[in-house]
Amino acid sequence: MDRAPRSRYTRGRRWPTGRRRINRGLASAAASALAATAIVALGGSGAQAAAEPNLIQNPGFESGLNGWTCSGGSGSAATSPVHAGTGSLKATPAGADQARCSQTVSVLPNSAYELSGWVQGGYVYLGASGTGTTDVSTWSASASDWKQLSTKFTTGPNTTSVTVYTHGWYGQPAYHADDLQLNGPGGGTPGEEVPAAPAGLAASAPTSSSVTLSWNPTKGASGYNVYQDGKKVQAVTATSTTVTGLAASTSYKFQVTATNSAGESPKSAEVTGTTTAGGGDGGGSVPKHAVTGYWQNFNNGATVQKISDVQDQYDIIAVAFADATGTPGAVDFNLDPALNYSEAQFKADIKAKQAAGKSVILSVGGEKGTVSVGSSAAATNFANSLYAQMQEFGFDGVDIDLENGLNPTYMTQALRALSAKAGPDLVITMAPQTIDMQSTSGGYFQTALNIKDILTVVNMQYYNSGSMLGCDGNVYSQGTVDFLTALACIQLQGGLKPSQVGLGLPASTRGAGGGYVSPTVVNNALDCLAKGTNCGRFKPSTTYPDIRGAMTWSTNWDATAGNAWSNVVGPHVHKLP
């Protein structure tokens, strides 16, 4: 926690050398780099293009026998044993049938290839025929566990396709094969190569039975395959689709591949999409338009407050911050003795605020926060310990303000577990940095979309940032109305509901190192987003009358300035349409 004067700390954060404090020059460079990254992703070049593709379709049998033909109906998809993923091939020789399973693959003439795969069982063969030179095969006499086989070949001058296959032997029991791989130049249309793995996969707009997926176009792709929990479920030509027929309140893992006549790309990065419980918005019992303020559980030169001192304009009070414990993921809360604030009075003040219609939540993170949720066990510890603090002190929910990033898989797991314990009135807020919400591929953005059905609001910090990209691809400098509206637009277009987007600003020039704007600018940005008025150079293509509101660091710095921020922004937020 931050207990030092503002000259060294703001909002519980030291000026770090890497992520937190970005001067304008570095930020502009960062924005340019982000733009360049976007161009690379759209072009299908760069690191992803460098990954050597597998020319075999459905190589791990995650989509059953899709793409494969097995003699005499000898093959079937199996879920155990598997070498990796969730599927494998099981093929059973019968009589004179060797249980041959094969796939024809497009290749290029006069080219070198390497074929490999994992097998289990007695007398299992892996080979390639129709090479135009010497057909090849390799085999294992006995493999009680998974064993890798590999062989190489070169195609002839007129060869445009080869057949890769596995088979067993007469009178032998069933064998298994998994994760077959054929590496080399893809065939198909002359000069066409297997595309790179798609980038930018994001899950959004969940319902109780569906999740919408979107990704960046991939150079050279004529179509895309969609995988759900490792199994192919769709083949589409667009760069977005809705996966339906899902169970309510369930998390699913999705990946996509790009395809053309040369073959199928490697799979994209994995994202998690979670269906809602039945179409509800979740997000706790807070006003349609709300003001959030952080209350400092320490003295760093701002006015020291009790919860009862917090200005009435604040609808959500985030107590900063929870403490890490020696148990991974677990948190605790202890009042700072310097505040001279008894625990009994603290609890009574929380109840009084709640009786007045306010929500009081516990914020996890801050500059010195060391809470990390990086495993299933840590996610469970986080949920259990947070719920224990809610029970002890009466907190209505949690604010996620982790300074060093987060793992979207495990944070999603943690927040869903907490929601299951706390019920539908749980308030969940987030306070990511601007860099964390530039793309739906970021951990914070993924987490927000994963918990969209139970998320209250994301109050991104529009300060201590420098210049950043807006949703129109232009670079905007912090401290302007355009910076607020063009960056909020990224979240709105990226899948968050307007009611889940708030503008986070410092309450005074002493509350942050950069990015302070007058309360009037905050109100202008809210008007621009909600009504299309008072915009700067950037004007959104549509209005968002349900925009949630605004947040500030902190109620203490606000009080130091005579509540100048909340006295202006608060009434304006509450009068939004």
Side-chain angles (χ1 to χ4, degrees):
M1 298 180 194
D2 167 19
R3 296 186 176 87
R6 189 206 60 84
S7 59
R8 291 183 59 211
Y9 300 85
T10 63
R11 187 170 173 202
R13 303 162 169 82
R14 187 183 337 199
W15 297 131
T17 57
R19 293 189 72 222
R20 165 48 76 190
R21 189 168 192 254
I22 311 173
N23 65 37
R24 291 181 180 272
L26 288 174
S28 297
S32 299
L34 282 166
T37 300
I39 293 171
V40 168
L42 289 168
S45 58
Q48 289 202 359
E52 189 172 22
N54 183 4
L55 302 183
I56 297 175
Q57 296 189 36
N58 190 25
F61 303 93
E62 309 293 349
S63 301
L65 297 183
N66 181 43
W68 293 90
T69 300
C70 295
S71 60
S74 58
S76 63
T79 57
S80 179
V82 297
H83 174 256
T86 58
S88 68
L89 167 68
K90 179 181 178 181
T92 307
D97 183 12
Q98 300 180 31
R100 186 177 191 269
C101 296
S102 62
Q103 179 179 138
T104 300
V105 182
S106 296
V107 295
L108 294 179
N110 297 318
S111 300
Y113 295 86
E114 181 171 358
L115 174 66
S116 64
W118 293 85
V119 299
Q120 187 175 134
Y123 294 95
V124 190
Y125 289 74
L126 172 69
S129 62
T131 63
T133 54
T134 301
D135 292 348
V136 295
S137 68
T138 181
W139 63 288
S140 168
S142 178
S144 58
D145 200 353
W146 289 107
K147 179 178 181 180
Q148 188 176 34
L149 301 177
S150 63
T151 186
K152 299 179 180 180
F153 63 90
T154 300
T155 55
N158 300 310
T159 302
T160 57
S161 68
V162 299
T163 299
V164 296
Y165 64 86
T166 64
H167 70 72
W169 199 248
Y170 309 105
Q172 297 297 312
Y175 70 89
H176 289 265
D178 201 1
D179 296 327
L180 275 62
Q181 183 122 0
L182 180 64
N183 294 126
T189 303
E192 188 170 59
E193 296 183 354
V194 175
L201 178 63
S204 62
T207 70
S208 59
S209 61
S210 68
V211 172
T212 296
L213 303 175
S214 61
W215 55 92
N216 297 337
T218 301
K219 183 180 179 180
S222 58
Y224 302 89
N225 290 332
V226 179
Y227 290 83
Q228 172 190 316
D229 293 334
K231 296 184 178 180
K232 181 180 173 181
V233 293
Q234 288 187 10
V236 298
T237 56
T239 56
S240 65
T241 188
T242 298
V243 181
T244 59
L246 308 178
S249 301
T250 304
S251 294
Y252 297 89
K253 298 183 184 302
F254 297 99
Q255 292 173 287
V256 294
T257 61
T259 63
N260 60 19
S261 63
E264 182 179 21
S265 76
K267 291 179 179 177
S268 69
E270 184 178 83
V271 299
T272 299
T274 304
T275 54
T276 65
D281 288 344
S285 301
V286 299
K288 177 181 179 181
H289 300 295
V291 179
T292 302
Y294 285 79
W295 176 84
Q296 298 178 184
N297 180 37
F298 48 86
N299 181 0
N300 67 343
T303 299
V304 174
Q305 292 183 313
K306 293 180 169 56
I307 294 293
S308 57
D309 297 326
V310 174
Q311 227 263 49
D312 191 55
Q313 294 292 341
Y314 291 100
D315 303 292
I316 303 173
I317 302 168
V319 172
F321 294 98
D323 302 318
T325 71
T327 302
V331 301
D332 195 5
F333 178 73
N334 299 280
L335 282 167
D336 190 331
L339 303 185
N340 194 27
Y341 199 178
S342 72
E343 188 173 293
Q345 188 60 53
F346 177 72
K347 293 177 180 178
D349 289 346
I350 289 176
K351 287 183 178 180
K353 284 292 184 183
Q354 291 167 335
K358 314 299 182 183
S359 298
V360 183
I361 62 178
L362 180 59
S363 182
V364 178
E367 178 267 328
K368 291 189 177 181
T370 57
V371 178
S372 177
V373 181
S375 67
S376 291
T380 300
N381 294 337
F382 182 90
N384 290 342
S385 62
L386 218 305
Y387 186 63
Q389 299 307 307
M390 292 174 63
Q391 294 293 96
E392 181 177 355
F393 293 97
F395 296 123
D396 295 288
V398 63
D399 170 68
I400 305 300
D401 183 22
L402 299 175
E403 293 292 314
N404 297 310
L406 52 77
N407 183 305
T409 298
Y410 298 119
M411 182 53 71
T412 298
Q413 179 182 328
L415 293 175
R416 289 209 166 274
L418 179 62
S419 175
K421 292 175 176 291
D425 289 334
L426 177 70
V427 176
I428 301 177
T429 69
M430 303 174 74
Q433 302 167 86
T434 53
I435 193 69
D436 295 321
M437 301 299 286
Q438 285 275 287
S439 168
T440 54
S441 64
Y444 254 106
F445 214 141
Q446 286 185 41
T447 302
L449 294 173
N450 289 348
I451 64 165
K452 187 175 175 180
D453 57 309
I454 58 173
L455 174 66
T456 306
V457 63
V458 175
N459 292 306
M460 190 175 76
Q461 303 171 39
Y462 293 78
Y463 53 94
N464 291 345
S465 169
S467 301
M468 283 288 162
L469 289 171
C471 66
D472 59 353
N474 292 319
V475 177
Y476 293 96
S477 299
Q478 70 176 8
T480 64
V481 68
D482 288 329
F483 187 77
L484 308 184
T485 54
L487 269 68
C489 173
I490 295 176
Q491 300 172 61
L492 294 162
Q493 292 186 358
L496 292 182
K497 301 173 186 176
S499 62
Q500 294 172 325
V501 176
L503 308 181
L505 282 307
S508 72
T509 55
R510 299 182 65 188
Y516 171 78
V517 297
S518 73
T520 300
V521 173
V522 180
N523 290 348
N524 287 343
L526 290 169
D527 286 344
C528 179
L529 293 167
K531 299 180 289 187
T533 61
N534 294 326
C535 298
R537 178 164 57 94
F538 172 80
K539 186 173 183 178
S541 58
T542 187
T543 57
Y544 306 94
D546 291 337
I547 194 83
R548 178 66 78 176
M551 171 274 280
T552 197
W553 177 267
S554 64
T555 65
N556 306 73
W557 285 117
D558 189 25
T560 304
N563 291 317
W565 191 90
S566 57
N567 281 335
V568 175
V569 176
H572 194 83
V573 166
H574 297 138
K575 291 179 182 178
L576 287 171

